Amino acid sequence: MNLLVPRLTRSVLTLLASAFLLTTLSSAGSPPVVDAHGLTPTFGGMLLAASFTPHGKDALTGAWFDGGHAKLLACKPHCMVVKSIPLDSPTIIGQDSLYRVVLAGDFRYTGRVKVVLRFEDMQLVTVSVPMSSASFSLSE
């Protein structure tokens, strides 16, 4: 009878350790939560405004839409193309931020644009981004 107690305890501990590791690894391996606020016209394309809430240290490494590849920019004080945007904590990208994502091309107002975002470890997130209709009515 004494032999069953250590095995049961070892089994329960193994089960608890496995559950802890699964929850830890699943949250660390998931891509950031993305809240796309909108697209506004800028010189030569559209500027993405969005917020990212990562599950640990991560980075935005690419962005695509129907028209092609978007540029990732670091603006300090002049904007330069970068290979990735670090996401160590909740991050906002847009007109007034250090980092920006610009979709190049000519756009017509369609209401929304689907953008695919790639993060470290090749994780992909697709977001439907609303376009600013007021700026299109001014430019047409």
Side-chain angles (χ1 to χ4, degrees):
M1 187 79 132
N2 289 338
L3 296 176
L4 291 178
V5 174
R7 285 187 182 175
L8 182 61
T9 305
R10 214 175 295 141
S11 299
V12 170
L13 288 175
T14 304
L15 181 63
L16 289 174
S18 298
F20 174 75
L21 283 174
L22 281 176
T23 56
T24 303
L25 292 176
S26 66
S27 65
S30 60
V33 175
V34 180
D35 185 18
H37 304 291
L39 289 170
T40 54
T42 188
F43 180 74
M46 298 290 277
L47 177 68
L48 174 66
S51 58
F52 300 88
T53 307
H55 303 287
K57 187 177 179 181
D58 208 338
L60 177 64
T61 59
W64 291 264
F65 64 109
D66 285 341
H69 188 270
K71 299 286 185 188
L72 307 178
L73 304 172
C75 301
K76 48 184 175 185
H78 303 289
C79 293
M80 296 174 45
V81 175
V82 295
K83 291 185 179 187
S84 65
I85 295 175
L87 302 173
D88 298 334
S89 61
T91 305
I92 296 174
I93 61 168
Q95 181 64 38
D96 298 324
S97 67
L98 174 64
Y99 295 103
R100 299 177 188 171
V101 175
V102 177
L103 288 65
D106 294 324
F107 289 85
R108 285 184 276 152
Y109 181 72
T110 59
R112 299 184 91 73
V113 173
K114 289 206 185 281
V115 179
V116 177
L117 304 169
R118 182 181 67 198
F119 299 93
E120 286 185 343
D121 298 329
M122 303 307 252
Q123 298 167 333
L124 300 175
V125 173
T126 302
V127 292
S128 179
V129 186
M131 299 174 87
S132 172
S133 62
S135 54
F136 277 95
S137 61
L138 293 174
S139 63
E140 293 179 347

